[in-house]
Amino acid sequence: MIEKEHLDYLTSIVGEENVKADKAHLIAYCYDATRERFEPDAVIFPRDEQDISKILRFCNENKIVIVPRGAGSGFTGGALPSNGGIILSLERHMNKLLEIDMENMVGVVQPGLINMDFQKAVEEVGLFYPPDPASENYSTLGGNVSENAGGMRAAKYGITKDYVVALRAVLPNGEIIKAGKKTIKDVAGYNTAGILIASEGTLAIITEITLKLIPKPKFKQTYMGVFPDVNKAMNAVFKSLAAGANPVAMEFLDALVIKALKEKFPQVELPENAGGILVGDVDGSSQAEVDSQIQTLKEAFAKFGSVGFIEAKDEAHGNSLWFARRNASPATMIYGTKKLNEDISVPRSKLPEALDAIYAIGEKYGFNVPCFGHAGDGNIHVNVMVKDKTNPKEMEDGHKAIEDIFQMVCDMGGTLSGEHGIGLSKAPFMNIAFNEAEIELFRSIKKAFDPNNILNPFKMGL
Amino acid sequence: MIEKEHLDYLTSIVGEENVKADKAHLIAYCYDATRERFEPDAVIFPRDEQDISKILRFCNENKIVIVPRGAGSGFTGGALPSNGGIILSLERHMNKLLEIDMENMVGVVQPGLINMDFQKAVEEVGLFYPPDPASENYSTLGGNVSENAGGMRAAKYGITKDYVVALRAVLPNGEIIKAGKKTIKDVAGYNTAGILIASEGTLAIITEITLKLIPKPKFKQTYMGVFPDVNKAMNAVFKSLAAGANPVAMEFLDALVIKALKEKFPQVELPENAGGILVGDVDGSSQAEVDSQIQTLKEAFAKFGSVGFIEAKDEAHGNSLWFARRNASPATMIYGTKKLNEDISVPRSKLPEALDAIYAIGEKYGFNVPCFGHAGDGNIHVNVMVKDKTNPKEMEDGHKAIEDIFQMVCDMGGTLSGEHGIGLSKAPFMNIAFNEAEIELFRSIKKAFDPNNILNPFKMGL
């Protein structure tokens, strides 16, 4: 528990209206998308970078734990105060779009700005910010950077780290640092921004983000490739990309997801013969470029086993084709009362093999494991469906299946997480993915930034 | 000086043929492109990662300094044994292309492989590795990663860090780590690869590099924009890019460089009225795309003050247009006997202002300062031309001019180095670019990796 005199001092920094320790606030800030709950000792809403500097300096001296938080939409508990301490919420005040610099094609934002608000603002002036995590309507850019968020458009445009040009941050000792500049090239000093990205709030508090923007592609078209089974679809993913296809997104649905969609959403547009689906958009600066992309995909899919190919006639038709992918997650709930879902990622060429192995693990424990996700970048959303979540044996088996899947993925050269991070949820599996020297190095890096271990301690298994 | 028993032990690891301490070898490995000279105590040629692990473990225990070296083509002394110790040369054995993985579109290489050898190998199978530092014919990929090398194609395709997918490396304590995977997305653990890039051999020895490849663009065309002065050319750079132009390269020559080229190379193809030149290539997957790019550039240049625009008729004509840019560096030698050249970088919109300020600084000290470089990414090669290098006063003034330029660039939101790194040469200027907290953080990061400070110590001013 935090002492009253500490709370009083923090109040003297940010004002009474920005420090909350009443029950309602502690409950409001105790959860994230994992549905785990840990009540903080207090919630504090810094107004600016100077506030954060003062708060951290004080907390560092007094060894008070600080857990930074954006929208609390993370899937692995990164923003949960699992060891108590203070929630540092960036959403109330530090949520501004500071600048759209048209000349240098960058945007400068505060960490609490919501991803979609930024996307909309830059598109209004003809620019484009590609990273589009599924949480884009509510997750914050600070959270996106801290987790290195991906999204559907990663297949063509990459992920958050590919767009971070510069950061400002406050170190646990209260010192303010800049990492990177508005320049395209900068090789002076260590790439501090590079290590802050994906550091899950354990190294510093990010206070300002400079993001690369690109010209908004003028033309777009949705496609759907229909395959007899998911194995053929997965083969077509890497083979069509190697053949020169460059779609914005290449999402997949497996047979179980297709079945669930048809059952739960009878209006869904999915061909009768679909045992595996690839759906996505292509884009370009001219209609000719889009046409040529569609043609490349169609030919490559046909060569690698498709039984159908649908080109969206217009935007409404495109949205109708996307309906299936957008509703894949709720549809899977026909298979159980509890979903254990993980976001593993493998090299694209391993997708067919990985899917086969996932189904075999499901069979071993008696689970349906519907899969969908970002095939274009090898990122699979695996859903181990527990039929009766009140049955402890079944829940235990579900967790065993997940562990088997992690082991298989790492053996295959893949990773525990393509998008969601490690946080609390995947911390027990760090030793599957990393050797002792690697984990020891992570601990040394953590200590270099945060010697008193006040910033989001024990996350990522550190 | 290294002790004989240490040398004997190192010999027992790699064999006699791979440890050299004779004068000829010490001289052969005492220089780099800075022309500074520091003789090492010995040169060692590890055969593989295991050798490196054993060497580092031993040197760490015995506090023997290790300086990793690729081709020794660096411009800032990164590979110089300025504090003695052993040169660890990766060029003799660890120079193999291990794999071109067509399915996942990555190449796996050892650090000693020469950039151009890699480019050629991947182009033979229809793929493309864009980073093309001017040293591409002799610099190694390990050096490129350690310095985060750029190049002409950075305007469209980015720099080395944008292509590093994964690394293997040996820590100073001899432990072997993997950083990153062949997956597109990976957010498990800290982004260790991110901090190793551009770390100038101070944190770990990179033993294997996995590099992203893209499909080779099928069509290419060279263009040249002619401007009455460099200020107008620089304005056209960021304005044409903001207008949607996306050239592979956008290089510039200023009036002094143009004058020097005409004097030194009478055959050069440069219009009479050129006071500033932008030259480069556009590319695409179709001729239509290339045509549209050329059209966009031509229109934007005209709008922003060009007085001429040349489209290459064929490859030979393209090479002829490139001749001026390729020979800019030797041409500048008409202005002096010694060139003090630096590779500063500014946000693109600051290019006109930066050039004005550079010429003013030149005037203040009485120097010609011809400039050329990678305008498309804000990277200026500044050349302070010393007329008489035997005149100590003039040399001192030259160095003062360089310091003024660094200060001006940093005040403008630019960086000390766009491509060359800090090494020894720029170490004295670190305090212009970074505050005390930032430098202290760099020191902490260095210590986290290398607590005994055996790896390339005191480089980057650390």
Side-chain angles (χ1 to χ4, degrees):
Chain A
M1 282 298 295
I2 192 163
E3 288 167 42
K4 184 172 177 307
E5 57 173 325
H6 289 157
L7 220 49
D8 288 346
Y9 184 82
L10 291 167
T11 305
S12 79
I13 299 173
V14 295
E16 215 167 304
E17 66 281 19
N18 291 315
V19 180
K20 300 291 173 186
D22 57 298
K23 195 70 184 173
H25 273 90
L26 302 189
I27 289 175
Y29 288 86
C30 78
Y31 69 92
D32 73 353
T34 60
R35 307 285 167 191
E36 300 249 18
R37 287 161 174 268
F38 296 92
E39 274 187 31
D41 296 325
V43 185
I44 188 162
F45 302 93
R47 295 161 305 176
D48 55 28
E49 190 179 65
Q50 281 304 322
D51 276 356
I52 295 177
S53 171
K54 287 176 199 156
I55 293 164
L56 262 62
R57 196 178 301 273
F58 178 75
C59 289
N60 194 44
E61 278 162 12
N62 293 282
K63 310 245 188 332
I64 299 168
V65 164
I66 291 279
V67 178
R69 179 183 174 101
S73 55
F75 273 112
T76 53
L80 293 180
S82 50
N83 294 279
I86 295 172
I87 288 283
L88 189 84
S89 168
L90 283 322
E91 72 185 335
R92 186 182 289 184
H93 303 296
M94 297 192 63
N95 55 8
K96 293 171 200 65
L97 170 54
L98 299 174
E99 185 190 6
I100 300 178
D101 177 344
M102 303 285 291
E103 296 184 335
N104 295 296
M105 291 204 278
V106 295
V108 185
V109 304
Q110 289 186 322
L113 182 64
I114 288 170
N115 176 305
M116 184 53 86
D117 292 344
F118 183 58
Q119 284 191 49
K120 282 185 182 158
V122 305
E123 291 189 27
E124 263 174 36
V125 296
L127 294 172
F128 187 44
Y129 177 68
D132 60 339
S135 59
E136 62 190 350
N137 286 316
Y138 41 90
S139 67
T140 64
L141 291 163
N144 292 175
V145 171
S146 299
E147 302 289 333
N148 193 9
M152 303 223 192
R153 299 194 287 234
K156 176 166 182 175
Y157 289 110
I159 55 180
T160 305
K161 83 171 162 58
D162 300 313
Y163 292 85
V164 175
V165 172
L167 297 174
R168 288 179 68 97
V170 181
L171 297 177
N173 64 9
E175 294 289 341
I176 295 167
I177 60 161
K178 298 179 300 297
K181 310 215 152 53
K182 269 192 191 174
T183 56
I184 311 275
K185 293 173 175 171
D186 177 15
V187 296
Y190 290 132
N191 178 18
T192 321
I195 197 89
L196 289 181
I197 296 164
S199 68
E200 305 195 11
T202 64
L203 300 181
I205 303 290
I206 294 169
T207 54
E208 191 182 290
I209 308 164
T210 302
L211 293 163
K212 183 171 91 168
L213 301 171
I214 61 175
K216 186 168 159 56
K218 293 193 185 78
F219 298 86
K220 197 171 86 168
Q221 190 169 3
T222 302
Y223 69 89
M224 180 180 276
V226 185
F227 293 83
D229 56 58
V230 75
N231 194 287
K232 280 219 164 56
M234 293 294 105
N235 252 295
V237 170
F238 69 89
K239 287 182 178 163
S240 63
L241 295 172
N246 192 17
V248 179
M250 192 181 267
E251 300 287 308
F252 85 100
L253 307 172
D254 74 359
L256 284 170
V257 173
I258 293 168
K259 179 167 174 278
L261 280 161
K262 285 181 177 166
E263 195 171 317
K264 195 148 177 179
F265 303 101
Q267 77 274 35
V268 72
E269 180 169 351
L270 280 172
E272 268 311 302
N273 56 346
I277 287 282
L278 296 178
V279 61
D281 293 327
V282 297
D283 70 2
S285 54
S286 66
Q287 187 57 45
E289 203 181 327
V290 165
D291 291 345
S292 139
Q293 278 294 326
I294 287 280
Q295 200 52 33
T296 306
L297 272 177
K298 194 173 172 175
E299 282 167 21
F301 283 5
K303 188 169 167 192
F304 301 116
S306 69
V307 292
F309 188 88
I310 307 172
E311 298 169 43
K313 289 185 284 286
D314 50 32
E315 203 184 324
H317 188 201
N319 285 336
S320 158
L321 293 176
W322 269 107
F323 179 90
R325 170 62 184 90
R326 293 240 160 79
N327 290 283
S329 184
T332 56
M333 292 312 291
I334 71 159
Y335 295 113
T337 58
K338 172 86 184 170
K339 176 198 298 199
L340 304 174
N341 62 324
E342 298 294 345
D343 71 315
I344 55 158
S345 195
V346 296
R348 284 188 298 236
S349 68
K350 300 283 186 184
L351 280 168
E353 196 180 326
L355 263 297
D356 284 350
I358 287 167
Y359 300 136
I361 291 167
E363 207 161 308
K364 171 178 160 193
Y365 292 99
F367 292 111
N368 280 315
V369 190
C371 294
F372 58 88
H374 315 308
D377 47 58
N379 193 188
I380 306 171
H381 291 301
V382 171
N383 304 282
V384 172
M385 301 306 302
V386 175
K387 283 182 208 76
D388 176 7
K389 66 181 171 188
T390 64
N391 177 347
K393 170 74 172 71
E394 210 197 345
M395 283 299 288
E396 199 191 318
D397 280 354
H399 289 294
K400 276 190 203 159
I402 291 289
E403 189 163 351
D404 283 8
I405 290 168
F406 283 146
Q407 185 67 58
M408 172 276 292
V409 162
C410 289
D411 290 347
M412 217 173 258
T415 170
L416 295 180
S417 177
E419 302 188 318
H420 298 169
I422 298 298
L424 288 178
S425 321
K426 298 198 184 186
F429 308 109
M430 283 291 276
N431 63 342
I432 296 181
F434 298 101
N435 69 28
E436 196 43 56
E438 288 156 356
I439 290 175
E440 206 40 61
L441 180 63
F442 293 161
R443 293 210 172 99
S444 302
I445 292 171
K446 168 71 169 155
K447 206 167 177 178
F449 280 78
D450 183 18
N452 291 339
N453 202 23
I454 63 156
L455 218 52
N456 216 358
F458 310 111
K459 296 292 169 69
M460 303 168 72
L462 303 180
Chain B
M1 283 301 293
I2 193 163
E3 289 167 40
K4 185 172 175 312
E5 57 173 323
H6 290 156
L7 220 49
D8 288 347
Y9 184 81
L10 291 166
T11 305
S12 78
I13 298 173
V14 295
E16 216 168 302
E17 66 282 16
N18 291 317
V19 180
K20 299 293 174 187
D22 58 298
K23 195 71 185 172
H25 273 91
L26 302 189
I27 289 175
Y29 287 88
C30 79
Y31 69 91
D32 71 354
T34 60
R35 306 286 168 192
E36 300 248 17
R37 285 160 176 269
F38 296 92
E39 274 187 30
D41 296 326
V43 185
I44 187 161
F45 302 93
R47 296 161 303 177
D48 55 27
E49 189 179 67
Q50 282 302 321
D51 276 357
I52 295 177
S53 171
K54 287 176 199 157
I55 293 164
L56 261 61
R57 196 179 302 274
F58 178 76
C59 289
N60 194 44
E61 278 162 11
N62 293 281
K63 309 246 185 340
I64 299 168
V65 165
I66 290 279
V67 178
R69 181 183 172 100
S73 56
F75 273 112
T76 54
L80 293 180
S82 50
N83 294 279
I86 295 172
I87 288 281
L88 189 84
S89 169
L90 284 321
E91 72 186 333
R92 188 182 285 183
H93 302 296
M94 297 193 62
N95 55 9
K96 292 170 201 68
L97 171 54
L98 300 174
E99 185 191 6
I100 300 179
D101 176 344
M102 303 285 291
E103 295 184 335
N104 295 297
M105 292 205 277
V106 295
V108 185
V109 305
Q110 289 186 323
L113 182 64
I114 288 169
N115 176 305
M116 184 53 85
D117 291 344
F118 183 58
Q119 283 190 50
K120 282 184 182 157
V122 305
E123 290 188 28
E124 264 174 34
V125 295
L127 294 172
F128 186 44
Y129 177 67
D132 60 340
S135 59
E136 61 190 349
N137 287 314
Y138 42 90
S139 67
T140 63
L141 290 165
N144 291 177
V145 172
S146 299
E147 303 287 334
N148 193 9
M152 304 222 192
R153 299 194 288 234
K156 177 167 182 175
Y157 290 110
I159 56 180
T160 305
K161 83 170 161 60
D162 300 313
Y163 292 85
V164 175
V165 173
L167 298 173
R168 288 179 69 98
V170 182
L171 298 177
N173 63 9
E175 294 289 343
I176 296 167
I177 61 161
K178 297 179 299 301
K181 310 218 152 53
K182 269 191 193 175
T183 56
I184 310 273
K185 293 174 176 171
D186 178 15
V187 295
Y190 290 133
N191 178 17
T192 321
I195 198 88
L196 290 180
I197 296 164
S199 68
E200 304 194 12
T202 63
L203 300 181
I205 304 290
I206 294 168
T207 53
E208 191 183 289
I209 308 164
T210 303
L211 293 164
K212 182 171 92 168
L213 301 171
I214 60 175
K216 187 169 157 56
K218 293 192 186 79
F219 298 86
K220 198 171 85 168
Q221 189 169 2
T222 302
Y223 69 89
M224 180 179 276
V226 186
F227 293 83
D229 56 58
V230 76
N231 193 287
K232 280 220 164 53
M234 293 295 104
N235 252 296
V237 169
F238 68 90
K239 287 181 177 162
S240 62
L241 295 172
N246 192 16
V248 179
M250 190 180 270
E251 300 287 306
F252 85 101
L253 307 172
D254 75 358
L256 284 169
V257 174
I258 292 168
K259 179 169 176 278
L261 280 160
K262 287 180 174 167
E263 196 171 316
K264 197 148 178 178
F265 304 100
Q267 77 274 34
V268 72
E269 180 169 350
L270 280 172
E272 268 310 303
N273 57 346
I277 288 282
L278 296 178
V279 62
D281 293 328
V282 297
D283 70 2
S285 54
S286 67
Q287 186 58 46
E289 203 181 328
V290 166
D291 292 345
S292 139
Q293 278 293 326
I294 287 280
Q295 198 54 33
T296 304
L297 272 177
K298 194 173 173 175
E299 283 168 20
F301 283 5
K303 187 168 166 192
F304 302 115
S306 69
V307 292
F309 189 88
I310 306 171
E311 299 168 43
K313 290 185 284 285
D314 51 30
E315 203 184 325
H317 187 202
N319 286 336
S320 159
L321 293 176
W322 270 106
F323 179 91
R325 170 62 184 92
R326 294 238 160 78
N327 290 283
S329 183
T332 57
M333 293 311 292
I334 71 159
Y335 295 114
T337 58
K338 172 83 184 172
K339 177 197 295 198
L340 304 174
N341 62 325
E342 298 294 346
D343 70 317
I344 56 158
S345 195
V346 295
R348 283 190 298 237
S349 68
K350 300 282 187 184
L351 280 168
E353 195 181 327
L355 263 297
D356 285 348
I358 287 166
Y359 299 137
I361 291 166
E363 207 161 307
K364 171 178 162 192
Y365 292 99
F367 292 110
N368 280 315
V369 190
C371 296
F372 59 88
H374 315 308
D377 49 56
N379 193 189
I380 306 172
H381 292 301
V382 170
N383 305 282
V384 172
M385 300 307 303
V386 175
K387 284 183 207 77
D388 177 6
K389 66 181 170 189
T390 65
N391 177 347
K393 169 73 172 68
E394 209 197 344
M395 284 299 287
E396 199 191 316
D397 280 353
H399 289 294
K400 277 190 202 156
I402 290 289
E403 190 164 347
D404 284 8
I405 290 167
F406 283 147
Q407 184 67 58
M408 173 275 295
V409 163
C410 289
D411 291 347
M412 216 173 259
T415 169
L416 295 180
S417 178
E419 300 188 319
H420 298 169
I422 299 297
L424 287 177
S425 319
K426 299 197 184 187
F429 308 110
M430 282 290 277
N431 63 344
I432 297 180
F434 298 101
N435 68 29
E436 196 43 58
E438 287 155 358
I439 291 176
E440 206 41 62
L441 179 63
F442 293 160
R443 293 211 171 98
S444 301
I445 293 170
K446 168 73 168 153
K447 206 166 178 178
F449 281 79
D450 183 18
N452 290 338
N453 202 23
I454 63 156
L455 217 51
N456 216 358
F458 310 112
K459 296 294 170 67
M460 304 168 74
L462 304 180

